[in-house]
Structures are given as structure tokens and as C-alpha cells.
Amino acid sequence: MTDSHETATGEFATREDVVDARGGSGPASAPSPAPSSSPSPAHSSAPSFAPDSLVLNRKLPLWYQVSQSLRASILGRPQDASLRLPTEEQLATHYGVSVLTMRQALKELETEGLISRHRRRGTFIEPRARRATPVRLLGSVDAIVAQQSGDATTVLGHGTVPVPGDLAEFFPDCGEVVSFRRLRRDGESGEPTNWAENAVRPEVAARIDLTDLERWPMTKVLHDIVGVKISRITDTVEARLADPVTADLLQVPLLSPILHYTGVTYDEKGRVVDVARIRYRGDRFSFSLTVEAR
């Protein structure tokens, strides 16, 4: 197996059949045990954690894409998911990369504190791991998903509204959009971390299940569940002062610093399908951008 493979397929146990990145399905397998808190080789009957599938982009570092995809799977996992990861070899096969690339991706997650590795016992998700690392925007959809995963999400409301004046340029052929408003809280402390408004093209919004938005970021719902073929996402991050609504939702003083993120998502036809505006507490998040010379 080499890093030339561009499509990763799922091969791990889930409650249902695993669907690979090409849309095919097959019976899941149960290769590894799953401890609850202290790793132990004794529980051999339980399946290992099943990460999501990933379509690799050869223009970006493979280890980075794999680490971000696995990170999003870990942070967005169900509460009853196994804490044991498959072996390096199984993960490498799943993502279609070499073992060396997989090892580099796992090292990134270990440094972040999301996983722990134990010789002869395996690799395990840290059950109390907290999200407190910078968001690194390197250009992949999985990076956007990863930065928004792991928080407890509440849907504050949704409904059809006239296209806001400041978004008219993005929806020239629409008179209305569907607005989704969500509040995210730290999964452990319950502290508000950010709140989001998404303006979504009506025909796309009609296929969104609100229960999916309580578990997954909008980008993942659009890409993996609704089936939107995302061609690109344009991100803008700027410093602003908290308005009354933001101050109330995020429990910060009025006019305190916040990070205002705008993400414009385009489909394969070049149409805007979603404009996300997310307000982050300034004391909880930082952003860094990596630019590579080619």
C-alpha cells in the first residue's frame, strides 16, 4: 500500500454495514477490543472504533488529511463508541496510505492529547480529551469538519427567510434561504464556545435532518449525508466585538473580543449552497494558516 491511493474505504465494525467513499457497502468486521477507561487486552469480543471514510486530495499532505479526518471522527463519535482504535496497518488500509503516513497522522493526534498509544496493547481514544488546539486551515473539507467537531450542539431554530442584504451576492438566483441557528458548548464543561448561523439554499436545506445538525457540523452534513459535491470553501476570519445577541449566547461581556468566521461553501457547479457565520469566544480559539510553496 502506497500513498498514491486517493480513495479510502471503510473496513471497521459499526452497528450497520460500512459504506466506503465510493458509495459501496459491505459487512463490517470486528478486529479489535474496546476498553472503557484503562486499556487492557482482555476484552477481545468488542469491536474497535470505526472512523469515517475519506477521499484524499493529492495536493495536500496525506498525513494531515488523515489526521484531520480521524480527529473529526473521534470528536464527533457517539457516546457509546469504542475507545480502541484499529491497528496502524488496519487504519493505513482504511485510508489508503502507507503505514509511515498513518504513523505520522497518529503522532499528531497523540501530541494533541486525543489518543494514547500503549505498546502491545494498542491505541486508544482519551475519554476526557478536550479541544483546546489552534484551528489550522490547510484547505481540506475534513479540516473544516474537524475544527467544528466535538462540541455539544443545540439547534436554536430554523426557518425560511428573505436573503439577507449582505448575502445577496452569494444567492443571486434565490429570493429566500433557510436559516439554521446553532449554539455549541464544550462537551465536558458545558461552557458556550461559539454560535453559528447558516444560510442554506432551499432545495438543499429541504434534505437536512435537524438531528444530524445536533451531532455533526453543517459541512459534514452537507458533504456526507445530503450528498453535496463540495468544490471549495472560502474562509474569512476577523476580529469583532460581541453584539448583544452574541454576548448573551456565549456568556461574555458586551463588546468583548470575538472571532467572526465566515465560510462560503460552493458545489461542483460553482453555486453557493451555504454561507456560515460563526462567532467564537475569543478566549477559547485561535487560528493559524499554513501556506506551502509548490
Side-chain angles (χ1 to χ4, degrees):
M1 188 68 66
T2 68
D3 287 1
S4 62
H5 293 74
E6 291 190 43
T7 303
T9 58
E11 298 183 354
F12 307 113
T14 59
R15 293 188 187 87
E16 302 175 349
D17 287 351
V18 175
V19 179
D20 69 16
R22 292 180 295 274
S25 63
S29 61
S32 307
S36 55
S37 56
S38 57
S40 169
H43 308 291
S44 59
S45 61
S48 60
F49 176 73
D52 294 335
S53 298
L54 169 67
V55 178
L56 295 170
N57 182 346
R58 297 182 67 181
K59 295 181 180 179
L60 298 172
L62 297 184
W63 70 267
Y64 173 80
Q65 297 177 70
V66 170
S67 69
Q68 292 303 295
S69 178
L70 184 53
R71 183 178 189 272
S73 296
I74 289 172
L75 293 175
R77 70 190 185 279
Q79 291 185 350
D80 60 349
S82 170
L83 295 181
R84 177 188 282 274
L85 289 181
T87 66
E88 286 181 352
E89 292 77 11
Q90 290 170 328
L91 285 169
T93 299
H94 174 74
Y95 285 114
V97 298
S98 69
V99 172
L100 288 177
T101 295
M102 193 66 237
R103 194 167 294 158
Q104 188 175 4
L106 290 172
K107 182 179 179 181
E108 175 78 3
L109 299 182
E110 185 179 24
T111 300
E112 189 175 329
L114 285 179
I115 63 173
S116 60
R117 312 186 72 188
H118 305 267
R119 188 172 230 176
R120 292 190 295 274
R121 287 187 292 173
T123 302
F124 301 89
I125 299 170
E126 286 293 329
R128 296 186 177 276
R130 293 176 60 92
R131 268 185 87 246
T133 57
V135 174
R136 289 175 294 173
L137 304 178
L138 224 169
S140 73
V141 170
D142 287 281
I144 303 300
V145 171
Q147 76 186 39
Q148 299 173 4
S149 297
D151 290 337
T153 302
T154 301
V155 176
L156 300 175
H158 76 290
T160 302
V161 299
V163 176
D166 59 338
L167 300 185
E169 63 177 301
F170 300 117
F171 299 101
D173 58 335
C174 295
E176 297 177 325
V177 292
V178 178
S179 174
F180 296 87
R181 301 171 77 248
R182 292 164 296 135
L183 176 67
R184 298 191 186 98
R185 297 179 180 273
D186 184 275
E188 183 174 328
S189 69
E191 180 181 54
T193 59
N194 64 86
W195 79 278
E197 288 180 296
N198 291 80
V200 182
R201 186 173 287 272
E203 64 270 27
V204 175
R207 307 203 301 272
I208 294 175
D209 190 324
L210 292 183
T211 58
D212 290 327
L213 287 181
E214 292 176 349
R215 179 182 176 190
W216 298 112
M218 177 66 80
T219 304
K220 183 176 180 66
V221 172
L222 292 175
H223 184 263
D224 292 356
I225 299 176
V226 175
V228 173
K229 296 182 178 179
I230 297 175
S231 63
R232 71 184 189 276
I233 300 175
T234 301
D235 297 316
T236 304
V237 180
E238 57 186 315
R240 291 192 181 181
L241 300 178
D243 56 44
V245 173
T246 297
D248 180 58
L249 288 174
L250 299 186
Q251 299 177 13
V252 297
L254 184 65
L255 302 181
S256 61
I258 63 167
L259 291 176
H260 189 282
Y261 163 90
T262 302
V264 183
T265 301
Y266 297 81
D267 66 11
E268 61 180 350
K269 298 179 181 178
R271 300 182 310 166
V272 173
V273 294
D274 169 47
V275 177
R277 291 178 288 187
I278 308 176
R279 290 83 165 177
Y280 292 93
R281 283 181 55 149
D283 60 344
R284 291 299 306 272
F285 288 86
S286 62
F287 291 78
S288 65
L289 176 65
T290 299
V291 179
E292 294 192 351
R294 294 295 185 184

